[in-house]
Amino acid sequence: MIQAAVISNGLQGIHRYFVSNEKVNYSVLEIEEDFNPDLTPYDLLVVPNGCDHIAMAKIKDKVASFLEEGNALFCFDGWFTNWIPGNQWVMSNEKKTIDIRYKVKTDTYNLFEGIDIDKLIYNHNISGWWACGYIDASKNADVIVEDTWQRPIIVLDEKTTNGTIILTASGPLGDSGAIPTDDESSYSVLGQLYQNMLSLIIKKINHETSMF
Amino acid sequence: MKKIGLLFNGVWSHYTFATAPKYKDLIELIYIHDFDETSLDRLEALMIPFQSNQNAIAKRKDVIYDFLAKGKKVFIEGDSSMDWIEAKWEDRPTNNYWWVENPNNPPISDTDFTHPIYEGLTPRQSCWHTHGSYTSMPSQAKAIQKKPDGEIISWETQQYGGTLFATTLDPIVEHGVQQITHLDHYVDKLIFWLSGDKASGSFDVPRENYGIAVSC
């Protein structure tokens, strides 16, 4: 079992979507004044959708050290501050959501195995519901998914630091989903993709895979 | 001069909204963990968006009620964890796609279009989706918007001195997200009601606003 820290800035849903199980033990770290958590007990840091990127920027050096020690970071949000090494999320409203399509580009670890990418593109036949903006990705990173205009939407970066960074352009994911829904078929993919990402991290921690 | 404060939970949609050139000279971001009585000096109104840290706000609720007692305006997009106002929000399923599947049956059927925020808006501009219903509201509050089943979506009261307006709509967050393209109408009316200032132009998102450093 791996140890994961989930950052919470007081929004509802975090405790529902990140429930400890046989694979991973989740600890929710609540952001309060003078937020300065001890990350040393954890293998994985999860920054879910709707997080506080002022607080994260204030612990930027601590996150960098955490990654240099070989640990993992998931960020499924729009980090407008510059706290993630080598990669920057950028908001953009220049493109129309009706034109948004996603394509798997470089998926070395088969994270999209069993994933119907159309579920990330369409909801009730309307496109552009899941992610926002794009990632200005490190040249060292793999772009797993790009959009219509070849902008990175999901990124895996194993080279900028000694750790593993997996990012979405504010596309919500979670251990058991990420959005309250009355339409389970549209949103179950959010948990499935997360599980594939989590399995990669567990394998890496257990040295069952390598970057080559 | 900025007259409206926006309680800022470090969330990107709050940031995108308040830093857009259209609004940046009208709205002051107030980081929730720095929020105290001095934060509201010189301001006429306060916005509290959806995706706020309700526990952190609850610790500072006296600052908000003192502001209201001075005759100011407060606009709240809350959520069901909010226990610092005399009203009860209950979650309801959010239907983002009624306009695709059942466009003649919007989630809100009854709006007081004489209210300054809603005056001149179309029904579509005054409702995109809701995140819950108010099952109770302060003793002297008046309902402004209701669902077809009579549940309350928006209400307003002057019983605390100024005007407290609460809604389960989320215009600030959704305008920041920019996936709903007709929210300028609602938000610009809201800003005028809160401050007397008129926002104009399109909602642009400057690249240089992203990747900023924060001093510790």
Side-chain angles (χ1 to χ4, degrees), chain B residues 8 14 25 38 43-44 55 57 60 75 87 100 113 116 155 161 163 166 171-172 180-181 190 193 196 200 202 216:
Chain B
F8 177 38
H14 302 175
D25 294 330
T38 64
L43 297 177
E44 295 301 320
N55 287 335
I57 294 173
R60 299 160 173 85
F75 177 83
V100 178
F113 285 104
W155 53 264
T163 302
I172 298 165
I180 301 172
T181 56
L190 171 62
W193 177 69
S200 60
S202 59
C216 298

Side-chain angles (χ1 to χ4, degrees), chain B residues 15-35:
Chain B
Y15 175 82
T16 296
F17 168 65
T19 60
K22 178 173 181 176
Y23 300 112
K24 72 180 178 64
D25 294 330
L26 305 176
I27 294 170
E28 181 169 320
L29 285 170
I30 303 170
Y31 185 50
I32 180 59
H33 299 292
D34 296 332
F35 179 49

Side-chain angles (χ1 to χ4, degrees), chain A residues 100-190:
Chain A
I100 287 179
R101 303 290 183 271
Y102 301 136
K103 184 178 75 174
V104 175
K105 186 179 180 188
T106 304
D107 188 12
T108 307
Y109 296 109
N110 297 317
L111 296 179
F112 268 75
E113 187 174 326
I115 302 296
D116 179 0
I117 199 168
D118 280 352
K119 299 283 190 183
L120 296 180
I121 300 171
Y122 302 103
N123 199 329
H124 292 69
N125 296 318
I126 305 296
S127 67
W129 72 277
W130 182 62
C132 284
Y134 61 93
I135 298 168
D136 188 356
S138 166
K139 64 180 188 305
N140 298 317
D142 284 348
V143 176
I144 300 174
V145 169
E146 63 182 14
D147 70 4
T148 311
W149 306 275
Q150 291 80 51
R151 303 183 304 179
I153 300 299
I154 302 178
V155 163
L156 167 68
D157 188 345
E158 301 175 290
K159 295 177 182 170
T160 297
T161 69
N162 289 327
T164 304
I165 301 172
I166 298 182
L167 308 165
T168 72
S170 198
L173 299 175
D175 192 288
S176 56
I179 295 177
T181 178
D182 54 353
D183 183 359
E184 202 58 45
S185 66
S186 295
Y187 297 139
S188 60
V189 68
L190 305 182

Side-chain angles (χ1 to χ4, degrees), chain B residues 43 47 77 110:
Chain B
L43 297 177
M47 291 173 158
E77 305 170 6
D110 181 8

Side-chain angles (χ1 to χ4, degrees), chain B residues 107-126:
Chain B
I108 293 176
S109 58
D110 181 8
T111 295
D112 177 1
F113 285 104
T114 67
H115 189 282
I117 295 176
Y118 296 91
E119 196 173 11
L121 294 183
T122 66
R124 180 75 180 277
Q125 291 165 348
S126 64

Side-chain angles (χ1 to χ4, degrees), chain B residues 185-200:
Chain B
H185 303 284
Y186 188 104
V187 173
D188 293 358
K189 295 279 288 189
L190 171 62
I191 283 176
F192 186 72
W193 177 69
L194 288 171
S195 67
D197 290 332
K198 285 188 176 178
S200 60

